[in-house]
């Protein structure tokens, strides 16, 4: 109401006759510029080393330039092909021309490698033909077919046609254990090759489990920290933070020493006669190992937000609830617990998101059954079998999953209510 | 109003120590009658809040027993004591609405929804917050005074016989505080509940209480109604702590019929009621500023001493004159600002006097 009133009237003027709002904006401009110049270096840094690489990664996961760039004429010629029969002469002619150019520029190998990823063996066919093609003359079709019967393979040409588009979902299909059939339909891969979907689910449920264990361990500790006198609380807090001060590798090797089959715990149990020497527990290089080590590493991320929230809850709330007749448990459940939810939620989302992308610990103590999706992403990024684009697709799915969880969380709890400390 | 059945609360030689070396509460014996408004008054660290917390059950007595309505309660947990309590910072639950806050004690007692609603409304009406749409608001959306009222209503909504208040008005500004004092007093009179009230503000204590227990150093220095406390303090601590007080140091030469003959610091002599200082002992004379007269007419009072005006402060309804008397340069005289009242100027030499009954010879203090 007040707004419409002022709008109806003349704008308020500053002493020199300019509108007051402009004057205010001008007077604050210096302040704004100064504030921006303070954050500018960080902004620049984040842009260069964080935002741009992520965009590049997402782009790379769908970018498919090899055939379009290295076999340009073939790609154009295939656009009119109906895929029903062995392509006509003009397609072979375009292929021959592309091969000649490609051999000169040394790019034909890259195109061949790209096709080889879809049809194993296609690479050698292509390279062999490419070496001879400059001696041939038109018509090319028969010479190609004579040279290698693979050139009559319809699947080869269909894939070539499909992959001549610049943007492809192929890697995402792979990352979710799907693939194109020879007819161009999308179908699940044969079960032997299905690894990613299962691993995504395992990563998710193990992260949930780790988050849950962290809550159970951290809640009482945080409560104790928050209610002790400062001197004792600080000492305990240092103990909680101790894992932060030890190298990740050192901590993990400590767990190996403790948990392995010839390790401290097993020796102790055997020594006490609780288990047989033949029945030594497998606690490492499997899921148990991953869960134990990661819970230990991520615990402080749960304790700190919980502690900082609990510290702000005056003890008089619980006292008030008790004085009003509530049993201590009920007082806790109705009064104390709801007030700790912002810290609890912050701790959960922190631990869960850290856990879902964890790499080093599962790699060291996870064995086969305890590895996470990050470990396969890493596998796809290195070594001779590197598939950087598949790795990019897997990483992008992980990123989207994390963003989705964050969004869901914001819907349910509200990010503005979070207290990280 | 105050009846003489079993006392509502009875401290029986209660001691409290936190560290096993010093006593915060030293051998407390106190009976609080049903329907009484008793204030525990004292400086911080005097043990008054500890006493309150022992009644509420949040602190355990190191020695001795507390009886509630004749039953020993040392081993009764707080939530079974049925005592209402108003906390210093209100302790309203921030995640619940006003109505939910008030319904909480009813809910944990298993009272039905309809009755809850009715009682919540009645309690809010009592603190004048029944109307105005406060039910659905959160405590943080209320002003300090409103939060205070809600806290009061919450402590009363389950109809406890005893209500404890721990400096409930400490966070309010002066005007609101004075207003709330009257309101609490009226609610106490209307409901007839027993109230134990803790404060360090002596004017608050004087305004509201039936009786005041002045605490210092873990000991009740004096337990009396406000008038007695102000007019007849029994020791120098109470005289200093309650109201404004002029102190003159001296030595008792002799006591006759309860009247002490005192030699002041500058050699002048005067008479005072002998309260707790014996012949030959050093003493502190206590005289209230409004009982002092400047240049009194002859025969009006027992003794006069010389004084020098240092400063005159005009306060509208009264005038404060600061003067040097018998070595004390902070001797205050309050005079009513009535028509034709004599004004003094700094430097004037005058005589000051008072009635012997208004001058009390107390222990010499620290």
């Amino acid at each position: 109401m007040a707004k419409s009133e002022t709008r109806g009237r003349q704008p308020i003027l500053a002493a020199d006759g300019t509108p007051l709002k402009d004057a205010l904006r001008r007077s604050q401009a210096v302040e704004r510029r100064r504030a921006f110049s303070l954050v500018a270096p960080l902004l620049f840094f984040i842009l260069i080393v964080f935002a741009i690489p992520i965009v590049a990664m997402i782009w790379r996961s769908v970018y498919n330039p090899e055939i379009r760039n290295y076999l340009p004429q073939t790609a154009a010629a295939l656009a009119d092909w109906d895929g029903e029969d062995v392509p006509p002469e003009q397609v072979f002619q375009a292929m021959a021309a592309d091969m000649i150019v490609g051999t000169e520029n040394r790019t034909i190998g890259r195109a061949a490698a790209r096709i080889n990823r879809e049809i194993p063996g296609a690479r050698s066919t292509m390279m062999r033909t490419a070496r001879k093609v400059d001696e041939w003359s038109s018509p090319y079709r028969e010479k190609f077919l004579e040279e290698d019967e693979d050139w009559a393979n319809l699947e080869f040409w269909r894939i070539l046609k499909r992959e001549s588009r610049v943007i492809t979902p192929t890697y995402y299909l792979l990352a979710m254990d799907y693939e194109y059939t020879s007819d161009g339909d999308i179908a699940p891969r044969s079960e032997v090759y299905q690894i990613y979907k299962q691993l995504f689910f395992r990563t998710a449920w193990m992260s949930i489990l780790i988050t849950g264990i962290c809550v159970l361990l951290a809640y009482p500790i945080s409560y104790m920290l928050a209610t002790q006198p400062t001197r004792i609380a600080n000492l305990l807090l240092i103990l909680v933070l101790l894992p932060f001060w030890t190298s990740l590798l050192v901590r993990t090797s400590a767990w190996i020493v403790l948990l392995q089959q010839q390790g401290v715990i097993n020796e102790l149990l055997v020594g006490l006669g609780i288990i047989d020497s033949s029945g030594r527990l497998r606690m490492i290089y499997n899921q148990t190992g991953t869960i134990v080590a990661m819970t230990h590493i991520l615990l402080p991320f749960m304790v700190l937000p919980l502690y900082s929230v609990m510290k702000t809850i005056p003890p008089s709330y619980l006292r008030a609830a008790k004085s009003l007749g509530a049993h201590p448990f009920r007082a806790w459940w109705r009064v104390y617990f709801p007030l700790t939810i912002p810290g609890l939620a912050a701790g959960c989302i922190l631990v869960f998101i850290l856990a879902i992308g964890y790499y080093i610990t599962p790699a060291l103590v996870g064995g086969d059954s305890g590895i996470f999706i990050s470990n396969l992403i890493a596998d796809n990024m290195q070594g001779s079998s590197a598939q950087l684009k598949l790795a990019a697709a897997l990483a992008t799915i992980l990123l989207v999953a994390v963003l989705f969880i964050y969004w869901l969380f914001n819907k349910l709890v509200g990010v503005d209510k979070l207290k990280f400390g | 109003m105050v009846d003489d059945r079993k006392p509502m609360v009875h401290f029986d030689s209660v001691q409290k120590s936190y560290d096993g070396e010093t006593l915060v509460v030293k051998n407390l014996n106190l009976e609080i009658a049903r329907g009484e408004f008793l204030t525990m008054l004292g400086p911080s660290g005097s043990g008054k809040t500890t006493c309150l917390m022992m009644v509420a059950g949040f602190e355990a007595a190191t020695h001795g027993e507390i009886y509630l309505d004749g039953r020993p309660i040392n081993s009764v947990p707080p939530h079974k004591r049925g005592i209402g309590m108003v906390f210093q910072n209100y302790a309203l639950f921030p995640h619940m609405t006003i109505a939910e806050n008030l319904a909480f004690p009813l809910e944990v007692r298993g009272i039905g929804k309809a009755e809850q609603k009715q009682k919540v409304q009645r309690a809010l009406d009592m603190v004048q917050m029944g109307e105005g749409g406060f039910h659905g608001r959160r405590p943080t959306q209320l002003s300090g005074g409103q939060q205070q009222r809600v806290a009061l209503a919450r402590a009363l909504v389950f109809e406890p016989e005893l209500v404890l208040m721990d400096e409930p008005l400490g966070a309010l500004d002066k005007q609101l505080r004075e207003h709330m004092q009257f309101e609490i007093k009226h609610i106490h009179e209307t409901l007839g509940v027993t109230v134990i009230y803790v404060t360090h503000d002596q004017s608050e204590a004087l305004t509201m209480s039936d009786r005041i227990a002045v605490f210092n150093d873990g000991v009740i220095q004096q337990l009396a109604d406000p008038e007695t406390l102000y007019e007849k303090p029994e020791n120098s601590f109470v005289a200093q702590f309650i109201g404004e007080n002029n102190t003159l140091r001296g030595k008792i030469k002799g006591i006759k019929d309860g009247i002490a003959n005192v030699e002041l610091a500058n050699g002048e002599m005067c008479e005072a009621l002998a309260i707790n200082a014996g012949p030959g002992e050093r003493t502190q004379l206590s005289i209230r500023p409004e009982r002092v007269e400047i240049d009194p007419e002859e025969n009006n009072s027992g003794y006069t001493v010389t004084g020098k005006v240092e400063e005159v402060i005009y306060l509208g309804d009264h005038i404060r004159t600061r003067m040097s008397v018998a070595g004390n340069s902070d001797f205050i005289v309050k005079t009513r600002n009535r028509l034709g009242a004599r004004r003094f100027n700094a430097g004037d030499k005058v005589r000051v006097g008072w009635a012997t009954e208004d001058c009390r010879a107390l222990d010499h203090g620290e």
Side-chain angles (χ1 to χ4, degrees):
Chain A
M1 200 176 77
K3 238 179 203 169
S4 66
E5 262 177 59
T6 44
R7 201 168 293 160
R9 275 191 256 122
Q10 292 285 335
I12 302 171
L13 300 181
D16 60 358
T18 56
L20 193 61
K21 279 193 172 168
D22 293 348
L24 182 67
R25 208 173 303 131
R26 251 197 320 278
S27 69
Q28 288 174 342
V30 179
E31 204 66 27
R32 270 202 304 273
R33 271 200 296 276
R34 187 176 301 152
F36 180 76
S37 68
L38 281 178
V39 298
L42 181 62
L43 197 67
F44 190 65
F45 178 77
I46 285 177
L47 204 68
I48 295 290
V49 306
F50 187 69
I52 292 175
I54 283 182
V55 172
M57 176 194 78
I58 294 172
W59 172 240
R60 180 180 272 224
S61 68
V62 292
Y63 186 48
N64 184 40
E66 291 93 345
I67 292 172
R68 169 67 60 98
N69 288 357
Y70 304 137
L71 301 173
Q73 298 178 50
T74 315
L78 275 173
D80 298 330
W81 178 56
D82 60 1
E84 291 302 319
D85 204 353
V86 177
E89 167 65 17
Q90 67 198 69
V91 172
F92 283 95
Q93 206 172 342
M95 176 62 90
D98 280 338
M99 279 177 164
I100 291 165
V101 175
T103 311
E104 235 164 68
N105 296 346
R106 298 175 186 283
T107 54
I108 189 68
R110 294 187 208 173
R114 175 70 186 84
I115 298 165
N116 199 61
R117 201 172 294 149
E118 307 288 337
I119 307 179
R123 187 171 194 272
S124 56
T125 309
M126 270 194 83
M127 295 310 283
R128 210 167 36 241
T129 311
R131 276 196 293 276
K132 295 179 181 168
V133 78
D134 55 345
E135 295 160 12
W136 299 346
S137 60
S138 108
Y140 289 96
R141 194 163 182 256
E142 288 84 58
K143 291 178 179 116
F144 268 87
L145 295 178
E146 254 168 55
E147 171 64 30
D148 198 318
E149 58 187 12
D150 276 354
W151 290 112
N153 184 356
L154 284 187
E155 199 188 336
F156 173 86
W157 291 106
R158 283 191 194 126
I159 286 169
L160 205 59
K161 178 175 168 138
R162 193 181 73 219
E163 295 308 325
S164 63
R165 58 194 161 174
V166 177
I167 288 180
T168 177
T170 313
Y171 305 107
Y172 283 94
L173 292 178
L174 269 184
M176 289 187 288
D177 292 331
Y178 284 91
E179 64 185 355
Y180 280 109
T181 60
S182 54
D183 302 331
D185 295 330
I186 294 167
R189 301 183 83 184
S190 64
E191 276 188 34
V192 213
Y193 295 123
Q194 289 195 11
I195 42 172
Y196 297 118
K197 197 159 52 178
Q198 182 207 353
L199 204 57
F200 270 118
F201 280 115
R202 186 207 286 166
T203 306
W205 86 255
M206 277 177 73
S207 299
I208 290 171
L209 188 66
I210 289 164
T211 310
I213 298 173
C214 279
V215 169
L216 291 182
L217 294 177
Y219 204 95
I221 284 289
S222 312
Y223 180 73
M224 202 177 104
L225 283 175
T227 48
Q228 289 296 314
T230 326
R231 200 170 47 85
I232 298 171
N234 283 343
L235 189 73
L236 290 173
L237 201 60
I238 287 171
L239 293 180
V240 169
L241 292 179
L242 214 55
F244 273 158
W245 300 347
T246 338
S247 142
L248 198 71
L249 283 171
V250 172
R251 275 185 277 168
T252 311
S253 11
W255 281 115
I256 294 173
V257 169
L258 206 62
L259 296 178
Q260 63 185 329
Q261 286 197 299
Q262 312 303 323
V264 178
I265 291 180
N266 266 315
E267 293 294 339
L268 198 70
L269 289 177
V270 171
L272 290 173
I274 295 171
I275 55 170
D276 224 345
S277 187
S278 56
R280 284 168 184 267
L281 301 174
R282 287 209 58 194
M283 293 181 290
I284 201 156
Y285 307 124
N286 58 10
Q287 294 191 358
T288 317
T290 305
I291 290 168
V292 168
M294 281 184 61
T295 301
H296 176 241
I297 287 163
L298 294 174
L299 195 60
F301 293 100
M302 186 67 82
V303 172
L304 287 179
L306 269 177
Y307 168 66
S308 78
V309 165
M310 286 175 174
K311 232 176 125 68
T312 63
I313 302 174
S316 65
Y317 285 170
L318 265 184
R319 287 184 163 185
K322 285 182 204 161
S323 84
L324 293 169
H327 183 272
F329 176 77
R330 192 163 192 176
W332 175 82
W333 175 246
R334 285 293 315 276
V335 175
Y336 197 83
F337 179 73
L339 293 173
T340 60
I341 283 177
L344 194 63
C348 283
I349 195 157
L350 209 58
V351 168
F352 182 78
I353 287 179
L354 281 174
I356 208 168
Y358 231 70
Y359 166 69
I360 182 83
T361 305
L364 289 172
V365 300
D368 279 334
S369 65
I371 55 166
F372 277 20
I373 191 72
S374 319
N375 302 101
L376 277 197
I377 295 177
D379 286 347
N380 277 320
M381 290 197 302
Q382 59 206 356
S384 55
S385 62
Q387 297 198 67
L388 279 181
K389 296 189 168 193
L390 179 59
L394 288 168
T396 306
I397 291 174
L398 192 59
L399 178 70
V400 169
V402 167
L403 290 178
F404 172 75
I405 288 158
Y406 189 74
W407 172 84
L408 192 73
F409 184 83
N410 188 21
K411 278 270 163 190
L412 295 178
V413 184
V415 169
D416 51 334
K417 286 208 194 105
L418 287 190
K419 277 192 182 152
F420 285 105
Chain B
M1 189 176 61
V2 176
D3 71 28
D4 47 19
R5 281 181 291 165
K6 256 185 247 155
M8 190 72 221
V9 180
H10 177 198
F11 289 87
D12 184 11
S13 26
V14 171
Q15 292 182 319
K16 174 70 187 177
S17 172
Y18 287 106
D19 55 4
E21 286 170 8
T22 51
L23 283 169
V24 183
V25 175
K26 298 170 186 163
N27 198 27
L28 179 74
N29 290 288
L30 176 63
E31 287 189 4
I32 299 161
R34 198 170 278 277
E36 185 173 9
F37 194 121
L38 181 119
T39 298
M40 294 178 170
L41 173 68
S44 56
S46 59
K48 58 190 192 309
T49 301
T50 304
C51 286
L52 197 74
M53 290 301 168
M54 285 193 285
V55 179
F58 300 128
E59 298 288 353
T62 312
H63 172 82
E65 185 70 72
I66 301 170
Y67 298 89
L68 183 66
D69 203 13
R71 287 175 297 122
I73 54 168
N74 277 14
S75 55
V76 178
H79 67 279
K80 289 193 179 147
R81 295 194 182 189
I83 299 172
M85 182 151 183
V86 182
F87 289 82
Q88 201 162 5
N89 292 311
Y90 319 137
L92 295 175
F93 307 138
H95 59 298
M96 297 187 195
T97 64
I98 301 309
E100 286 167 348
N101 260 287
L102 260 73
F104 185 79
L106 306 174
E107 179 199 315
V108 299
R109 285 174 171 76
I111 290 173
K113 285 272 175 211
E115 200 183 343
Q116 277 185 28
K117 211 172 164 194
Q118 193 187 340
K119 288 193 175 202
V120 166
Q121 183 59 42
R122 205 187 310 153
L124 280 176
D125 283 339
M126 190 168 60
V127 294
Q128 275 130 50
M129 286 191 50
E131 284 157 37
F134 291 111
H135 296 71
R137 292 204 205 160
R138 305 262 162 171
T140 47
Q141 293 171 305
L142 303 185
S143 70
Q146 287 167 336
Q147 290 184 31
Q148 168 55 46
R149 286 162 197 262
V150 174
L152 192 61
R154 189 178 67 175
L156 293 166
V157 69
F158 60 101
E159 290 157 20
E161 290 191 312
L162 173 65
V163 178
L164 312 178
M165 302 194 190
D166 184 13
E167 309 221 10
L169 306 181
L172 302 181
D173 62 56
K174 187 167 175 287
Q175 212 173 353
L176 200 54
R177 194 158 65 222
E178 283 169 3
H179 181 76
M180 286 303 295
Q181 286 169 11
F182 287 112
E183 233 169 90
I184 292 175
K185 181 88 184 132
H186 289 154
I187 288 171
H188 166 246
E189 279 163 6
T190 318
L191 297 179
V193 293
T194 312
V195 176
I196 305 180
Y197 191 101
V198 162
T199 182
H200 64 268
D201 180 337
Q202 45 98 6
S203 78
E204 199 165 290
L206 292 177
T207 311
M208 306 171 78
S209 318
D210 293 325
R211 281 195 304 166
I212 300 170
V214 181
F215 275 73
N216 190 38
D217 210 13
V219 174
I220 294 183
Q221 301 289 331
Q222 190 171 355
L223 175 65
D225 59 273
E227 188 179 329
T228 310
L229 213 55
Y230 184 80
E231 308 221 352
K232 299 185 172 108
E234 276 169 5
N235 56 43
S236 59
F237 176 81
V238 176
Q240 289 287 358
F241 198 75
I242 305 283
E244 207 175 354
N245 183 53
N246 285 315
T247 300
L248 294 178
R249 291 183 178 279
K251 197 170 179 187
I252 296 184
K253 288 285 167 198
I255 298 179
K256 198 176 150 199
D257 298 335
I259 306 290
N261 204 355
V262 182
E263 182 186 350
L264 295 175
N266 64 349
E268 285 186 288
M269 298 296 291
C270 77
E271 282 184 348
L273 290 180
I275 305 298
N276 63 346
E281 284 179 4
R282 291 198 292 132
T283 184
Q284 246 186 42
L285 301 184
S286 155
I287 311 136
R288 298 292 180 191
E290 69 277 10
R291 298 291 171 92
V292 181
E293 283 191 70
I294 301 176
D295 279 344
E297 289 163 29
E298 294 299 316
N299 308 330
N300 194 9
S301 63
Y303 273 86
T304 59
V305 294
T306 53
K308 181 175 150 228
V309 177
E310 300 283 357
E311 195 177 3
V312 179
I313 301 157
Y314 178 80
L315 284 165
D317 61 336
H318 72 271
I319 291 164
R320 289 166 70 88
T321 311
R322 183 170 70 83
M323 42 177 68
S324 299
V325 173
N328 178 1
S329 63
D330 216 10
F331 193 93
I332 303 293
V333 180
K334 270 190 196 174
T335 40
R336 211 148 62 78
N337 186 11
R338 58 171 186 267
L339 201 63
R342 215 180 124 192
R343 298 284 183 85
F344 298 93
N345 297 310
D348 287 357
K349 289 256 176 17
V350 293
R351 291 198 69 76
V352 289
W354 50 80
T356 306
E357 311 84 73
D358 287 333
C359 181
R360 299 168 72 80
L362 306 170
D363 57 290
H364 64 85
E366 65 287 343

